[in-house]
Amino acid sequence: GGGGEAKGGGTKEELAMKRMLYWSRAKDVEDNRNCWCCCCCVVVILLAVGSGIAGTAGVQKQSLDDAAPVLDFRVLNETCTVTGVDHCWETYNDRDAESTKDKRCRHKWQPVFDAPGGTADMIGLKGEKSQDERKGKCIGKDEGCENAWENSYNWKPGEHQCWITTSPEGKKGTSGVYECENDACVKLRDPYLDFQKGNKKTSKNLTNGIIILSVAG
């Protein structure tokens, strides 16, 4: 006949069904285990990223709490003189573009200036950088640098008000909250603007960190 008894009891068909059921359950268990492992990995990654962002925001907040623009800088009695502008540009692919053929042009400007005093360490100082991005590839060369006033963003030749750190150690003794582009930490921009920028960045990082940790939890 078709369904003889197999060794160990039951017909061959029944034993085959039992084996199929066993392996099916074993596969389900393995799939569930893999799914659980994947979920755990995602949670661990989210916790690590969220903690990292929140931790960075915490350090930034501490730096901001220790900073006080009115005390950390003073306005120089005499103006600084901007003598030139370093202009650099580069063509790159927009990472959010649908096609790698979509290009953008990034421009960076950095003023060069002399601070009051006339000493060697106060001549030819670099100021704070400005950046601008435009659609389309850069005109002419894809990248390069020049010293030119043309299209120099908001930097103009001549006299500008400037600030200097109150720390006797210059840039080394000044909070990282402030953008100091020279060792003496003489600034062409109001230090309070750096302080505001730091506050916004810290708040954003703290919010992102909390959101990621909430999702992971």
Side-chain angles (χ1 to χ4, degrees):
E5 288 203 7
K7 191 174 180 180
T11 65
K12 292 180 180 180
E13 289 79 0
E14 289 174 341
L15 288 176
M17 289 295 294
K18 288 180 180 179
R19 290 192 187 100
M20 289 178 63
L21 183 60
Y22 170 79
W23 288 115
S24 177
R25 289 176 176 172
K27 186 177 184 304
D28 289 341
V29 170
E30 183 66 22
D31 289 344
N32 289 336
R33 185 184 293 118
N34 291 336
C35 182
W36 175 252
C37 289
C38 288
C39 290
C40 287
C41 288
V42 170
V43 170
V44 169
I45 292 173
L46 288 174
L47 285 172
V49 172
S51 299
I53 294 175
T56 300
V59 173
Q60 292 171 338
K61 187 177 186 307
Q62 184 60 52
S63 297
L64 286 166
D65 289 343
D66 295 337
V70 177
L71 300 177
D72 297 336
F73 285 84
R74 65 180 177 85
V75 178
L76 286 171
N77 293 330
E78 299 179 50
T79 57
C80 292
T81 305
V82 175
T83 58
V85 175
D86 291 332
H87 172 218
C88 294
W89 66 93
E90 61 175 342
T91 298
Y92 70 99
N93 289 325
D94 187 352
R95 66 178 182 178
D96 296 324
E98 296 180 359
S99 170
T100 55
K101 294 181 180 179
D102 293 325
K103 305 283 187 178
R104 292 183 70 87
C105 183
R106 180 185 291 120
H107 291 266
K108 292 182 180 179
W109 295 271
Q110 185 170 32
V112 180
F113 68 97
D114 297 338
T119 55
D121 60 337
M122 289 295 182
I123 296 176
L125 301 178
K126 298 287 188 179
E128 294 91 319
K129 297 174 183 175
S130 301
Q131 180 172 307
D132 183 26
E133 295 188 7
R134 304 168 186 175
K135 290 184 179 180
K137 63 182 300 183
C138 300
I139 299 174
K141 295 180 180 179
D142 284 343
E143 60 180 352
C145 288
E146 63 181 359
N147 187 277
W149 292 110
E150 186 178 0
N151 299 324
S152 61
Y153 200 60
N154 58 349
W155 297 114
K156 302 298 179 186
E159 297 183 348
H160 292 257
Q161 185 180 48
C162 49
W163 294 256
I164 188 170
T165 178
T166 55
S167 171
E169 297 179 4
K171 180 178 179 178
K172 290 182 179 179
T174 305
S175 171
V177 169
Y178 307 105
E179 183 182 353
C180 293
E181 293 290 338
N182 52 74
D183 291 338
C185 197
V186 180
K187 294 176 59 62
L188 293 174
R189 285 191 184 135
D190 190 336
Y192 186 71
L193 297 177
D194 291 340
F195 186 75
Q196 282 185 316
K197 182 178 178 181
N199 263 323
K200 290 180 180 178
K201 185 177 180 180
T202 299
S203 298
K204 182 178 179 181
N205 286 340
L206 190 58
T207 300
N208 289 340
I210 292 173
I211 290 174
I212 293 174
L213 289 174
S214 299
V215 172

